[in-house]
Amino acid sequence: EADIYQTPRYLVIGTGKKITLECSQTMGHDKMYWYQQDPGMELHLIHYSYGVNSTEKGDLSSESTVSRIRTEHFPLTLESARPSHTSQYLCASSEYRGLSSGNTEAFFGQGTRLTVV
Amino acid sequence: SQKIEQNSEALNIQEGKTATLTCNYTNYSPAYLQWYRQDPGRGPVFLLLIRENEKEKRKERLKVTFDTTLKQSLFHITASQPADSATYLCALPNTGNQFYFGTGTSLTVIP
């Protein structure tokens, strides 16, 4: 069982609300990721981090922001939620072994299913 | 960026048969490739990693091959069971070592 946790598991909120999706891992991994996945569709990388104070945008443009103040914590924030943000958000982490060796496998949380009404 | 293609059609097979799933990629050749399993409503779970200098990797009933000339990986489940029913994803690192996932192949094993 992976030691990476996401809360909440399900969230239904109204348009315009600010929300933060929480992600924590206890494996001491440097790299963390946020993916967005619609039902039956592929995972799209929206944010990633190499470690504390590092945040990068992924290939899929997202209006969300992330922060990495502590190694174990990688929250994702939407300042003003819209119905187009309705999706499943998956957090993951991996150990990074440098450019030549790359990453170990990614460990995923259970996901947060967000519905904006 | 890397383009990853997996069998777009869902795969239905009889219990006990071997399931074979395909992952094709374009652009640069990755140093390694991974396979994950995803059940509905849950995050993917890592299954196997194969490096570019390895032709084949096995783990219990799972076997993965990696052909860097064809830019293709095959994922086999032998003696398939209904519990193997899930979506299987291949994942590759891009040049910046981020994980990119294929669209996945849905496998149903019929008892």
Side-chain angles (χ1 to χ4, degrees):
Chain A
E1 202 65 30
D3 296 317
I4 179 163
Y5 308 99
Q6 289 185 243
T7 56
R9 188 79 201 280
Y10 303 94
L11 180 62
V12 181
I13 61 164
T15 299
K17 299 289 186 187
K18 176 180 178 178
I19 58 164
T20 297
L21 308 184
E22 301 289 348
C23 177
S24 295
Q25 51 98 2
T26 59
M27 296 172 281
H29 288 165
D30 288 322
K31 287 200 80 172
M32 295 190 74
Y33 316 80
W34 277 102
Y35 289 86
Q36 186 174 339
Q37 185 180 34
D38 293 320
M41 305 296 285
E42 65 195 281
L43 284 84
H44 290 286
L45 181 67
I46 52 174
H47 296 285
Y48 60 96
S49 166
Y50 285 103
V52 172
N53 294 326
S54 156
T55 60
E56 305 285 345
K57 288 190 180 294
D59 272 5
L60 182 68
S61 174
S62 175
E63 292 164 350
S64 58
T65 59
V66 291
S67 62
R68 189 90 183 274
I69 298 170
R70 302 197 316 265
T71 297
E72 62 271 21
H73 196 214
F74 191 41
L76 180 145
T77 298
L78 275 166
E79 289 292 332
S80 180
R82 295 209 299 272
S84 60
H85 296 140
T86 295
S87 189
Q88 165 136 308
Y89 292 84
L90 289 158
C91 178
S93 72
S94 69
E95 186 181 340
Y96 183 59
R97 293 179 177 163
L99 282 173
S100 58
S101 298
N103 304 301
T104 60
E105 65 266 28
F107 292 87
F108 282 83
Q110 296 274 52
T112 294
R113 182 161 297 285
L114 173 66
T115 303
V116 183
V117 297
Chain B
S1 62
Q2 187 67 275
K3 187 173 166 68
I4 306 167
E5 291 181 350
Q6 297 186 243
N7 313 55
S8 55
E9 300 287 326
L11 185 63
N12 298 323
I13 64 165
Q14 210 65 39
E15 182 175 5
K17 300 290 187 186
T18 296
T20 298
L21 287 65
T22 305
C23 175
N24 294 297
Y25 58 92
T26 58
N27 301 334
Y28 75 97
S29 292
Y32 59 91
L33 181 149
Q34 301 178 348
W35 283 89
Y36 289 77
R37 168 184 173 139
Q38 186 175 25
D39 291 289
R42 304 181 70 110
V45 175
F46 171 78
L47 296 174
L48 278 168
L49 178 152
I50 185 166
R51 298 194 180 277
E52 60 182 338
N53 60 350
E54 297 174 315
K55 294 295 182 193
E56 182 180 296
K57 198 85 168 273
R58 289 176 186 261
K59 179 182 174 184
E60 297 172 353
R61 294 185 295 109
L62 308 180
K63 184 178 88 170
V64 172
T65 62
F66 193 10
D67 189 326
T68 54
T69 303
L70 289 178
K71 297 196 173 186
Q72 179 181 80
S73 174
L74 298 178
F75 177 80
H76 307 271
I77 305 175
T78 58
S80 59
Q81 304 166 1
D84 295 327
S85 299
T87 296
Y88 292 86
L89 309 167
C90 68
L92 289 80
N94 68 354
T95 50
N97 258 306
Q98 319 318 323
F99 291 105
Y100 283 85
F101 287 81
T103 50
T105 298
S106 174
L107 171 68
T108 301
V109 180
I110 303 161

